[in-house]
Amino acid sequence: MSPPSVETASTTAAADRSIFPVSESQVVRLRDRFHQIRKFTNALCAGLEPEDCVVQSMPDVSPTKWHLAHTTWFFETFILKKFVPGYRAEIPEYAYLFNSYYNAAGDMHRRDLRGLISRPTLSQAKRYRASIDSHIDDLLSSPDESLLDEIEQILVLGIHHEQQHQELLVTDIKHVLAQNPLYPVFRAATTRSPSAPKISKDGSAIRPCQFVQFDEQIAEIGHNGDGFAYDNEGPRHRALVPAFSLATRPITNGEYIAFIEDNGYSRPEFWLSLGWMTVNEQRWNAPLYWIKRDGAWWNFTLSGLRRVDQSEPVTHVSYFEADAYANWAGARLPTEFEWERAALSCPIEGNFVDTELFHPVPCPVAPNAFGAVSADEPGKGQSFHQMFGDVWEWTRSAYSPYPGYRAAPGALGEYNGKFMCNQYVLRGGSCATSRTHVRRTYRNFFQPEKRWQFTGIRLARDLA
Ligand SMILES: [Fe+2]
């Protein structure tokens, strides 16, 4: 039993002081985080020329300039216009140009025509960023205490939103540069940091792919509410996960080449009907960015054109290709619940955009090296590798609402919910994702024919 509380003038003053410093440090942390994220976006553009930043190479790709302005519009629309009394936009027309898909926030310019917008210029877009950053600074320097929690929630959402666009900025500029027969270099390949995995040049050193078995279980799926998560990660609920096994690492380029060489792209028995139609219409015969020269496969990377490294995880494959590969290999893709269950034992470590390699790296060969962890379930001493970072892993789960999910009212309710149709869930993050952005419960989603993200394959199997 604790002693009775005796409140004195000095303890009351101490309590008061303890309230404001906490609030102040909360604001400082928030402001630091905001600036850190905004600066990283700018840093990603450091090597780009203005001409690079205005090209839209396909409807899915947005010009770099648009990403810079749209992420800024997000903070202006959902924070400044809402929380700064009498706020007036310097250039009101930006609301139309840089709204992406939020119908409740007003009309918007056509997504597929973003590359036709030469004004504002890149430098004007950068000025727009600086101006909004300074307004956010002002707001956070004297925040209305009663609104701080609400501002914080939206600011944190804006920060995660910007991290998503950082990833798109990287994958979009890769697609833009890939159109150029000169194969421009976005970032020269650098010496890998000591914390990065060692590259195996020798194919024989590739870690064998094994399967870890899991018993049937009713699993708790979804975010537990501790810290930030998107609304589509909840509500947390129970799901029956029948016995299955999951591969210890993603499929490599070398393994994928075996599928190609076995005529995988011309054998309909491995393909979904829609996939088979797509392969034939698009004349796919390899992952996106692969070309064959003198009998050898090369791929375009953000460090230029390189020989395909057989030990790297295969990437830039569609759901259709991932599914066809799995069929050819006598396996299947995991469900998102299976993936999440396996990920419970894995630390969120890996080759994220923070390493600035901008490309997946081979699975480490040494036990318990970068990205490896012993699975505590079922505890057979197996390890999963590269569950996080390197490549997003296609799951066979349709992107659907979890039981009880309801999108919030208003524009921000449009963030995720309205896309829950005709897409598949991907898990784990990639070499273009920020380490602080991804979670075990994170649900990325794309249509099955998309290949321009860093998407890869991890196999699963049913257990009889
Ligand atoms: Fe956005």
Side-chain angles (χ1 to χ4, degrees):
M1 192 172 171
S2 55
S5 158
V6 181
E7 194 172 80
T8 63
S10 64
T11 56
T12 307
D16 284 348
R17 278 198 306 274
S18 75
I19 291 168
F20 292 111
V22 166
S23 180
E24 202 176 297
S25 68
Q26 179 189 357
V27 172
V28 169
R29 272 203 313 273
L30 203 52
R31 196 163 49 199
D32 287 351
R33 182 102 183 95
F34 172 76
H35 285 298
Q36 185 192 2
I37 297 301
R38 299 284 282 172
K39 277 183 190 159
F40 188 62
T41 306
N42 298 339
L44 285 174
C45 305
L48 296 175
E49 297 295 338
E51 290 84 350
D52 298 322
C53 297
V54 297
V55 177
Q56 180 171 30
S57 49
M58 66 166 170
D60 287 325
V61 160
S62 296
T64 305
K65 181 179 73 176
W66 187 88
H67 287 299
L68 294 173
H70 164 70
T71 46
T72 304
W73 166 88
F74 191 98
F75 289 112
E76 181 180 41
T77 304
F78 298 119
I79 294 186
L80 298 180
K81 287 184 179 175
K82 184 170 179 187
F83 296 106
V84 177
Y87 178 82
R88 293 183 66 173
E90 253 172 72
I91 304 172
E93 293 79 10
Y94 284 3
Y96 176 79
L97 273 185
F98 300 125
N99 181 1
S100 52
Y101 56 67
Y102 300 88
N103 292 309
D107 290 339
M108 65 211 70
H109 184 59
R110 269 177 55 178
R111 182 185 185 193
D112 57 337
L113 301 183
R114 288 172 187 164
L116 301 183
I117 304 301
S118 58
R119 308 297 173 93
T121 62
L122 177 63
S123 57
Q124 286 170 325
K126 287 180 176 173
R127 274 206 292 282
Y128 177 45
R129 280 180 75 81
S131 162
I132 297 304
D133 286 355
S134 138
H135 281 296
I136 293 282
D137 259 347
D138 291 346
L139 176 66
L140 292 180
S141 65
S142 53
D144 180 332
E145 295 282 332
S146 65
L147 293 176
L148 193 56
D149 280 348
E150 208 182 335
I151 293 172
E152 179 176 7
Q153 276 184 33
I154 302 177
L155 197 71
V156 169
L157 178 65
I159 285 169
H160 282 274
H161 171 255
E162 180 133 355
Q163 288 182 309
Q164 279 187 282
H165 278 277
Q166 287 166 354
E167 174 152 11
L168 289 169
L169 192 154
V170 169
T171 53
D172 289 1
I173 199 66
K174 181 169 183 177
H175 194 268
V176 166
L177 297 177
Q179 309 313 309
N180 187 332
L182 301 180
Y183 298 119
V185 169
F186 169 74
R187 201 65 60 87
T190 53
T191 309
R192 290 160 203 273
S193 69
S195 62
K198 292 183 173 54
I199 301 277
S200 163
K201 297 286 183 197
D202 175 3
S204 65
I206 295 171
R207 177 177 286 277
C209 188
Q210 296 168 308
F211 283 77
V212 177
Q213 297 187 4
F214 290 80
D215 296 332
E216 179 174 296
Q217 191 189 60
I218 294 176
E220 294 282 336
I221 298 295
H223 195 257
N224 63 10
D226 186 14
F228 175 84
Y230 286 122
D231 63 350
N232 63 3
E233 295 168 57
R236 190 165 166 83
H237 62 284
R238 299 194 307 160
L240 175 66
V241 183
F244 70 101
S245 64
L246 187 71
T248 48
R249 62 157 171 78
I251 293 304
T252 62
N253 286 328
E255 288 160 340
Y256 199 80
I257 287 171
F259 168 68
I260 296 173
E261 290 179 349
D262 197 29
N263 298 316
Y265 277 88
S266 49
R267 293 171 62 182
E269 64 265 34
F270 302 130
W271 295 82
L272 289 163
S273 171
L274 204 53
W276 184 241
M277 229 161 64
T278 308
V279 163
N280 287 291
E281 276 173 11
Q282 302 295 324
R283 301 183 177 201
W284 288 347
N285 62 2
L288 181 64
Y289 302 130
W290 283 34
I291 56 168
K292 209 165 197 182
R293 277 189 178 171
D294 301 326
W297 285 110
W298 292 66
N299 62 346
F300 178 67
T301 74
L302 282 161
S303 303
L305 193 65
R306 301 204 301 226
R307 276 285 285 265
V308 167
D309 181 333
Q310 300 218 0
S311 61
E312 289 169 0
V314 67
T315 190
H316 297 302
V317 287
S318 64
Y319 177 84
F320 294 138
E321 288 160 297
D323 180 71
Y325 178 88
N327 287 329
W328 172 81
R332 62 169 172 80
L333 299 177
T335 68
E336 63 169 323
F337 297 163
E338 290 167 345
W339 192 97
E340 188 168 321
R341 196 175 154 199
L344 282 179
S345 62
C346 302
I348 305 178
E349 292 172 359
N351 173 26
F352 292 106
V353 73
D354 314 66
T355 65
E356 301 194 44
L357 298 173
F358 303 107
H359 197 70
V361 296
C363 184
V365 175
N368 299 318
F370 183 80
V373 64
S374 292
D376 60 12
E377 191 180 10
K380 291 183 179 170
Q382 300 278 14
S383 296
F384 287 110
H385 303 271
Q386 297 175 298
M387 286 289 278
F388 293 97
D390 288 300
V391 292
W392 286 102
E393 298 177 11
W394 285 108
T395 75
R396 69 183 338 189
S397 297
Y399 178 50
S400 299
Y402 285 166
Y405 172 83
R406 286 279 180 281
L412 289 176
E414 296 182 53
Y415 200 108
N416 283 310
K418 69 183 186 181
F419 300 109
M420 292 175 172
C421 177
N422 293 346
Q423 312 211 42
Y424 282 88
V425 173
L426 301 102
R427 294 296 195 114
S430 80
C431 56
T433 312
S434 283
R435 157 70 185 81
T436 55
H437 181 63
V438 84
R439 288 170 294 284
R440 292 180 181 84
T441 55
Y442 193 107
R443 306 174 79 202
N444 197 2
F445 50 91
F446 279 100
Q447 290 93 350
E449 73 279 12
K450 302 301 183 199
R451 324 206 276 176
W452 94 110
Q453 298 300 301
F454 285 97
T455 45
I457 308 169
R458 184 184 298 268
L459 297 180
R461 286 193 178 129
D462 295 320
L463 290 180

